[in-house]
Amino acid sequence: RPVADQLRALTAGDRKALTRLGIRLGQELIYMPALLKPAAVEIRALLWAVYHDFDDPPAPPGRVSAPLDESLPAGFYAAVGYPPAGTRAVRADRLEKLAAAARKLSRQGPFMATPVLASLVECPPGELAGVLAALGYRAVQDQTGVSFTRERHRRHKGRAKRKREADAHADSPFAKLRGLLIAR
């Protein structure tokens, strides 16, 4: 979300160039698969520790996901390619796979957290709810159990609000256009 405007500004050629450089523009994350290899993760963890003046560099997760260490800032996990999701740090490529699978399931309506979904991020089924919540899914309890639905995106509301605010300003181009249309 912080770079959504920049992503929208990319041309097809820009996207192809980024792909050729090994950069993945996912629905949830932007990452480089080459930097998710264990050696690269270890180096980034060490660099992060040196930059943040940690005496003992924290051990990188090393697996597809790991429980969050509360003694480390969330910035550490993001720096090594394991963004926090719920109570877990999940490798960027696997978080993207889980997000894609959940999106596909949510198109058909509410869905259950299955062992297959949990295996995508190698987490215990009980922790999958927190990971899905971090991806924007809401747990709903009904008579069949817990299912998940996609939260509505608030950015549309924000965009509409900004448009109304822009329309409200007398100096806005929309106000000038409205004046021209009314004059006709």
Side-chain angles (χ1 to χ4, degrees):
R1 290 186 185 113
V3 296
D5 291 337
Q6 294 169 345
L7 286 174
R8 277 192 291 277
L10 292 175
T11 66
D14 295 336
R15 289 176 181 272
K16 284 181 185 178
L18 289 171
T19 300
R20 279 192 304 272
L21 293 170
I23 298 171
R24 297 271 170 90
L25 301 175
Q27 292 291 316
E28 302 294 325
L29 301 163
I30 300 168
Y31 62 97
M32 290 182 73
L35 294 179
L36 298 176
K37 296 183 187 278
V41 172
E42 279 185 41
I43 290 170
R44 289 201 333 265
L46 180 61
L47 290 171
W48 183 91
V50 168
Y51 181 80
H52 290 281
D53 202 24
F54 266 60
D55 293 331
D56 187 24
R63 300 180 47 93
V64 171
S65 73
L68 287 175
D69 180 349
E70 297 297 324
S71 68
L72 293 171
F76 166 74
Y77 291 106
V80 297
Y82 283 74
T87 59
R88 301 196 67 82
V90 182
R91 199 172 69 203
D93 60 336
R94 288 300 190 96
L95 191 60
E96 195 63 41
K97 278 186 181 184
L98 176 64
R103 266 192 314 280
K104 184 176 180 181
L105 289 171
S106 71
R107 287 185 193 119
Q108 301 165 6
F111 63 92
M112 305 292 276
T114 64
V116 172
L117 288 176
S119 71
L120 289 174
V121 292
E122 293 182 6
C123 78
E127 292 185 35
L128 185 59
V131 177
L132 289 170
L135 291 172
Y137 291 89
R138 182 172 43 96
V140 177
Q141 178 74 42
D142 61 12
Q143 61 271 29
T144 60
V146 177
S147 60
F148 293 87
T149 60
R150 183 82 172 149
E151 289 283 342
R152 291 184 154 190
H153 289 287
R154 292 190 173 107
R155 66 179 172 182
H156 299 297
K157 290 180 184 177
R159 195 177 299 148
K161 181 180 176 185
R162 285 192 302 272
K163 183 181 180 311
R164 283 193 306 274
E165 288 172 356
D167 286 345
H169 296 301
D171 295 336
S172 100
F174 299 106
K176 302 287 184 192
L177 287 172
R178 184 179 296 118
L180 292 173
L181 289 173
I182 294 172
R184 287 184 157 188

